[in-house]
Amino acid sequence: MAVESLLEVIPRERLVGVHTIAADARYSLVADLAKGLPLLGASPEQLLSARPDLVLVDAFTRAETLALLAAANVPVVRTRDPHSFEDIEANLRLLGRVTHLDAEVEQIIAATKTKLAAIYRVGQDLHEWRLLSLDGALHTYGEGSLFDVMTRTAGARNLASERGVGAFRKLDIEEVLAWRPDALVLSGEPPADGKLPEWVTQCPGLELLPCVAAGRILYVPGRLLITTSHRLADSAAFVQQQLIKWGKP
């Protein structure tokens, strides 16, 4: 999201409002920075009520919202749906250019590249790990997804990509069992009681996977899995550290 990219460098007095999600720690990596800022919903009426000189939106903003903002003669800058760190870098430069924060954005890019270089070095010994993302409906992320970018950046392999899955697809339980991933990646926090999530136990056969039996379920906070900003590097580092703790698959 645009606010996640810029909130650490843009002067607060230049912001007449940010989306409510930016202040929600369940979904935002900059919730602490958003504290005290005016919060807005996504409706055009709420956006226009703040009387902005410029509205920054992401690739998933509804077309009708963009149309109404255009009808009100409000300038809108829309970032692209990223599929790589290069895309994220291009979005950052776009945001920097339209907000006249080019130098500040270049500092973010440089710091991210330094962080990525360190992650790549550490991840050289993790290539044996085959990870599979799943949710309660057995959806997974394959080639072209930022989960794929995150996994490869950490040094591991995205099993769904290797099996020909595109950016997003629902799997059959037979596929999951036959693929035998080395670890499952789930969104959220591990259950407080140490047990498996209820949906895992209710999915016939899933708890028979060797990785589940061995406790190799990697819980990643949702805000790290859904980020589309340069902070995806932090997501890769999070995954990488867990794999290092486990050692070899």
Side-chain angles (χ1 to χ4, degrees), residues 220-232:
V220 181
R223 60 188 179 275
L224 285 173
L225 280 179
I226 65 174
T227 183
T228 59
S229 76
H230 61 286
R231 292 171 182 253
L232 186 68

Side-chain angles (χ1 to χ4, degrees), residues 119 122-130 151 153-157 239-245 247-249:
I119 293 171
V122 173
Q124 290 178 359
D125 297 327
L126 298 175
H127 187 67
E128 293 180 40
W129 282 98
R130 299 171 307 122
T151 301
T153 300
R157 296 150 58 190
V239 169
Q240 185 179 77
Q241 288 305 307
Q242 180 59 67
L243 297 181
I244 291 172
K245 288 179 183 179
K248 296 289 184 180

